[in-house]
Amino acid sequence: MKKIIGIVGEMGAGKDTFCEYVKANYQDVYFLRFSDGLTSALKVFFDDIKREDQQWLSQALRERFGQDILVKAIIKKVNSIEDGIIILNGVRRPDDFSGLKEIGGKLVYITADIKKRWERVVLRKEKADDDVPFEKFVELGNAEAEQQITKIGEQADFKITNDGSREELFFDIKKIIEEI
């Protein structure tokens, strides 16, 4: 049986931590990011991938091939998986949300205080442009690709406010996985 879970949340809210917890505590877990194709394409040309470059490429692809180009790629991958927990990390747009619902998925919105999110992003340095001043972080959070996250989050089946401890987050995740 498939459990399909879409994750929406602002930068540094805890989406990756959600995924890591599920991977460590459940069997047959698959992670797919809406940005996987963007990252793969950019790695052909660059060693360090920047969030701004992903945002630009996403916009260029959507203008050329349609707003649903990234969700079509994700759905294709989901359909190739027989059983397990499938987590679609990075739901950001109405088409992403519609695609998730079309394949029977549930949406989890993870959010947190903006200062906490900035501190997490600076500490993890996942992308080349993560170590930025707070003002730049706010600017990146206002980019076109990020603007719809709150609206999509309002439609989520589950919401986690990740302002507490990791243990509190893990408790919330476990409760959601058991309910789906």
Side-chain angles (χ1 to χ4, degrees):
M1 183 170 122
K2 284 185 192 179
K3 286 185 179 188
I4 304 169
I5 303 167
I7 306 292
V8 62
E10 300 87 1
M11 295 179 290
K15 299 181 300 292
D16 290 335
T17 303
F18 183 105
C19 295
E20 290 163 10
Y21 176 84
V22 175
K23 182 75 171 171
N25 291 281
Y26 296 88
Q27 294 181 355
D28 301 320
V29 178
Y30 303 88
F31 298 110
L32 304 172
R33 287 182 184 226
F34 284 85
S35 63
D36 283 346
L38 303 173
T39 300
S40 294
L42 289 167
K43 281 188 176 184
V44 170
F45 304 102
F46 309 104
D47 291 330
D48 295 324
I49 307 304
K50 295 182 180 174
R51 188 177 316 279
E52 288 176 306
D53 295 333
Q54 288 178 314
Q55 291 169 344
W56 173 85
L57 182 57
S58 170
Q59 190 167 347
L61 288 171
R62 287 182 294 101
E63 285 173 7
R64 174 83 168 120
F65 299 108
Q67 294 299 310
D68 61 350
I69 187 68
L70 297 178
V71 77
K72 282 181 180 176
I74 286 284
I75 289 173
K76 192 185 242 187
K77 289 180 183 177
V78 168
N79 288 338
S80 72
I81 298 170
E82 299 268 333
D83 284 325
I85 299 172
I86 304 167
I87 299 179
L88 310 180
N89 192 351
V91 175
R92 281 188 168 74
R93 306 175 185 288
D95 285 323
D96 301 348
F97 179 67
S98 297
L100 174 69
K101 289 301 174 179
E102 180 183 309
I103 57 176
K106 299 290 185 186
L107 185 66
V108 177
Y109 176 38
I110 305 175
T111 189
D113 172 77
I114 191 167
K115 284 273 192 189
K116 285 184 188 247
R117 295 188 295 107
W118 170 67
E119 290 167 0
R120 291 173 185 156
V121 168
V122 168
L123 284 174
R124 76 176 181 210
K125 293 182 178 90
E126 179 182 281
K127 294 193 174 61
D129 56 353
D130 277 350
D131 192 8
V132 297
F134 181 70
E135 296 74 22
K136 179 68 173 176
F137 179 79
V138 172
E139 181 184 319
L140 287 170
N142 288 324
E144 185 273 335
E146 308 294 316
Q147 291 175 359
Q148 300 179 62
I149 289 173
T150 304
K151 287 181 187 172
I152 301 283
E154 290 170 359
Q155 301 173 71
D157 300 289
F158 303 94
K159 179 181 178 181
I160 296 174
T161 301
N162 184 19
D163 287 334
S165 68
R166 288 177 72 83
E167 291 72 27
E168 289 171 305
L169 175 61
F170 297 159
F171 176 81
D172 290 340
I173 295 168
K174 183 178 179 187
K175 197 165 66 174
I176 288 169
I177 296 296
E178 289 173 0
E179 191 173 326
I180 294 177

